[in-house]
Amino acid sequence: AQSVTQLGSHVSVSEGALVLLRCNYSSSVPPYLFWYVQYPNQGLQLLLKYTSAATLVKGINGFEAEFKKSETSFHLTKPSAHMSDAAEYFCAVSDLGMDSSYKLIFGSGTRLLVRP
Amino acid sequence: EAQVTQNPRYLITVTGKKLTVTCSQNMNHEYMSWYRQDPGLGLRQIYYSMNVEVTDKGDVPEGYKVSRKEKRNFPLILESPSPNQTSLYFCASSVHGTEFNNEQFFGPGTRLTVL
């Protein structure tokens, strides 16, 4: 079974600083990876996804993630944090089930705090 | 507007009192799913549905039921809620369940408290 691990349940950065949220995956086959964001009192929204077309994936709101097979990582970055980036971020992997359906396996989430 | 809606958004109930959380999507998606979100555990799948009248268990199905009589609706039923089902619940949908890169669209969540 596939899994994802997010290091750090909370990350705090100053406004304008680099954002780095870590995600490592465990997969015996090429993984299909996603980052979702959850703003307060809202559902999850797709930030970006990796599906093997390119190792550097650009998403919405200035976020990007780099797939590194040698490190089994898919870390999320943003060069300059904005107050509106404060949210919870989830890394997820698409897992193939017995009935040929794909489901998302989520990491435990990282809450990003942005200090003024 | 394309969306997934859930009702109610907040619910406080007592142990053993049957409840239903509704989920509806207007995107003609085949695949729908229910998740629960608990601190430190991320989201875990409860049940999913590949299409009308096709449902299956996810990772944490105990104590829950679902039905898929229409394509747009996928209600979550708790026949006899218990305090350990206190959680934040999300409904999600995607075009197909058989494509690895399908984006899932999430509802706004239902916060359930069972006393």
Side-chain angles (χ1 to χ4, degrees):
Chain A
Q2 307 202 52
S3 65
V4 291
T5 302
Q6 291 184 243
L7 296 176
S9 58
H10 292 79
V11 169
S12 181
V13 301
S14 298
E15 191 173 19
L18 171 71
V19 175
L20 171 60
L21 304 182
R22 299 178 188 274
C23 173
N24 288 88
Y25 67 90
S26 171
S27 174
S28 59
V29 297
Y32 303 109
L33 297 157
F34 304 77
W35 274 101
Y36 280 83
V37 59
Q38 183 182 24
Y39 297 106
N41 299 315
Q42 295 186 27
L44 279 71
Q45 177 183 354
L46 181 68
L47 266 181
L48 50 83
K49 62 183 178 183
Y50 168 74
T51 56
S52 78
T55 57
L56 183 62
V57 182
K58 294 188 183 300
I60 61 171
N61 301 337
F63 284 94
E64 62 182 35
E66 186 173 9
F67 174 72
K68 291 187 177 180
K69 185 178 179 179
S70 60
E71 299 178 8
T72 61
S73 68
F74 190 55
H75 301 332
L76 182 70
T77 60
K78 183 174 180 177
S80 176
H82 192 272
M83 296 297 290
S84 61
D85 294 327
E88 189 155 21
Y89 292 80
F90 292 94
C91 183
V93 64
S94 190
D95 190 29
L96 179 62
M98 297 288 286
D99 60 354
S100 299
S101 71
Y102 282 90
K103 69 175 183 182
L104 290 176
I105 305 294
F106 286 89
S108 56
T110 297
R111 186 169 296 279
L112 177 65
L113 306 170
V114 182
R115 304 185 302 271
Chain B
E1 179 190 356
Q3 60 183 347
V4 179
T5 57
Q6 295 179 227
N7 282 291
R9 294 289 311 279
Y10 302 91
L11 179 59
I12 300 175
T13 189
V14 296
T15 299
K17 186 176 181 181
K18 181 179 179 179
L19 65 91
T20 299
V21 183
T22 65
C23 172
S24 184
Q25 50 91 7
N26 62 2
M27 296 170 279
N28 201 37
H29 284 172
E30 290 185 353
Y31 182 88
M32 297 186 75
S33 181
W34 276 103
Y35 297 88
R36 60 177 289 172
Q37 181 183 5
D38 300 291
L41 296 177
L43 280 77
R44 294 176 293 168
Q45 191 182 54
I46 303 171
Y47 269 93
Y48 66 96
S49 170
M50 296 284 281
N51 213 324
V52 176
E53 302 291 1
V54 182
T55 63
D56 211 342
K57 297 177 180 178
D59 296 318
V60 288
E62 294 77 20
Y64 305 94
K65 286 175 56 177
V66 293
S67 68
R68 187 95 182 272
K69 294 184 171 60
E70 306 165 284
K71 198 171 189 178
R72 64 184 293 124
N73 296 323
F74 190 46
L76 179 69
I77 303 155
L78 284 72
E79 295 265 358
S80 183
S82 62
N84 64 12
Q85 293 178 297
T86 293
S87 187
L88 180 58
Y89 291 86
F90 287 101
C91 180
S93 72
S94 64
V95 177
H96 300 296
T98 54
E99 296 182 17
F100 61 85
N101 60 351
N102 257 190
E103 175 183 356
Q104 289 197 21
F105 294 83
F106 285 79
T110 295
R111 186 167 293 282
L112 172 66
T113 301
V114 183
L115 301 175

